[in-house]
Amino acid sequence: ISLNSSSHSMYLFDWAKELKIPIIAVDYENAPQETFPTQIEECLAVYNHIVENSERMFGAKVRVILAGDSAGGNMCMATVLKCIETGTQIPDGVVTVYPATYVAESPSPARLLALIDPLVNLSFLKLCGTAYPHPESCSKTNPFLSPIVAPDEILAQFPPCFLSVGSLDPLFDDAVWMAKRLNKLTGKVCLNLLDSVGHGFCNMLTVVPEARQANSQVTGWMKELLQEFKRQDEVKARCSESVQPDLSQQKHIAHK
């Protein structure tokens, strides 16, 4: 419901430099001026454009990892759900940092931290819960609002996921619950828990040592995933070469 891609430039530039890959940030419309599902549709439109035009944009077909923090993490997961629902190519990986996976009010232990959290306080959580969802949508049952409630058969189709959250974050339970469900269904989950760290640490790289450590862990996981993609592509290339027909032999046989 606030901020834009420039407010995340501190760590996005760091990711691009460390990973040596292009990063495309989506400036979706903010609530309450535009409510759900506008933001999800905008993210999906950008993702589809990249997939359909990657050769023109980057010179080759590319792998796509969705990444987002807080509400952005929610939208990454909702975008994956939309891809599954519409039969669109599913992203190759998902990185979420302190994601909001359950938008409805919940008296979870971690949510009680909102009573004292200076950034994600109780009033702010209530504001998000009323400003973002459309009045006719139900946050408790709509998986595109609250990905944690998506059915097992849908979550089982998720790509590899990385979730990072601090122990003092009111969204701690959101991340842990989502990681548990995904790990049970896919076995392709990395959950990174940080001691004594609250919400919004991605933008605190210059002042919080734990934030720098967490940022390194995020880029480290993405590096490993990119290296796995490279290995898979090399295997595919070798397999393709091994099954190529010997055209010279075929011509010789035809001539006989």
Side-chain angles (χ1 to χ4, degrees):
I1 66 171
S2 64
L3 307 179
N4 53 37
S5 62
S6 62
S7 64
H8 299 269
S9 60
M10 175 186 296
Y11 63 90
L12 291 182
F13 282 130
D14 185 74
W15 288 5
K17 181 180 178 181
E18 182 71 20
L19 299 170
K20 297 179 174 59
I21 59 172
I23 292 179
I24 297 175
V26 183
D27 271 326
Y28 49 76
E29 298 290 335
N30 288 334
Q33 289 76 17
E34 295 291 341
T35 59
F36 170 88
T38 299
Q39 294 81 357
I40 308 301
E41 292 170 348
E42 290 175 333
C43 291
L44 182 63
V46 172
Y47 169 74
N48 285 336
H49 181 79
I50 294 171
V51 171
E52 294 167 4
N53 298 278
S54 62
E55 292 189 64
R56 180 173 60 85
M57 296 170 66
F58 308 110
K61 288 186 177 180
V62 297
R63 305 274 192 155
V64 180
I65 300 175
L66 301 186
D69 74 314
S70 196
N74 173 288
M75 291 178 194
C76 286
M77 293 185 174
T79 300
V80 176
L81 292 172
K82 276 292 183 183
C83 289
I84 295 171
E85 179 190 57
T86 60
T88 306
Q89 178 180 322
I90 298 174
D92 298 284
V94 179
V95 172
T96 63
V97 184
Y98 37 83
T101 65
Y102 190 67
V103 176
E105 290 188 19
S106 170
S108 72
R111 293 285 178 97
L112 295 178
L113 289 170
L115 295 172
I116 58 173
D117 192 279
L119 183 61
V120 186
N121 53 58
L122 192 59
S123 297
F124 182 74
L125 283 178
K126 287 185 176 181
L127 175 62
C128 294
T130 56
Y132 175 54
H134 189 276
E136 297 180 1
S137 57
C138 180
S139 302
K140 293 183 178 180
T141 59
N142 190 329
F144 301 110
L145 272 170
S146 299
I148 190 67
V149 304
D152 285 356
E153 61 269 22
I154 300 299
L155 292 181
Q157 301 178 56
F158 260 58
C161 293
F162 178 92
L163 299 93
S164 183
V165 66
S167 62
L168 298 181
D169 195 320
L171 299 182
F172 179 87
D173 292 339
D174 287 49
V176 173
W177 289 343
M178 193 70 189
K180 284 184 175 181
R181 285 204 66 197
L182 287 172
N183 191 56
K184 179 181 178 182
L185 295 167
T186 71
K188 299 180 291 186
V189 175
C190 178
L191 175 61
N192 183 39
L193 303 178
L194 304 165
D195 288 335
S196 305
V197 176
H199 197 79
F201 60 75
C202 278
N203 285 321
M204 304 176 187
L205 301 182
T206 59
V207 293
V208 179
E210 291 82 359
R212 291 194 291 273
Q213 177 187 356
N215 187 62
S216 297
Q217 291 166 336
V218 171
T219 55
W221 185 84
M222 285 194 281
K223 275 184 179 179
E224 291 181 3
L225 191 59
L226 292 170
Q227 289 170 356
E228 177 60 26
F229 293 159
K230 185 178 180 180
R231 285 193 292 269
Q232 292 175 3
D233 292 340
E234 290 173 348
V235 170
K236 285 182 180 180
R238 287 197 296 269
C239 291
S240 178
E241 290 173 359
S242 65
V243 298
Q244 287 293 329
D246 188 343
L247 298 180
S248 61
Q249 183 68 16
Q250 287 184 351
K251 289 180 180 179
H252 180 65
I253 294 172
H255 179 67
K256 286 184 176 181

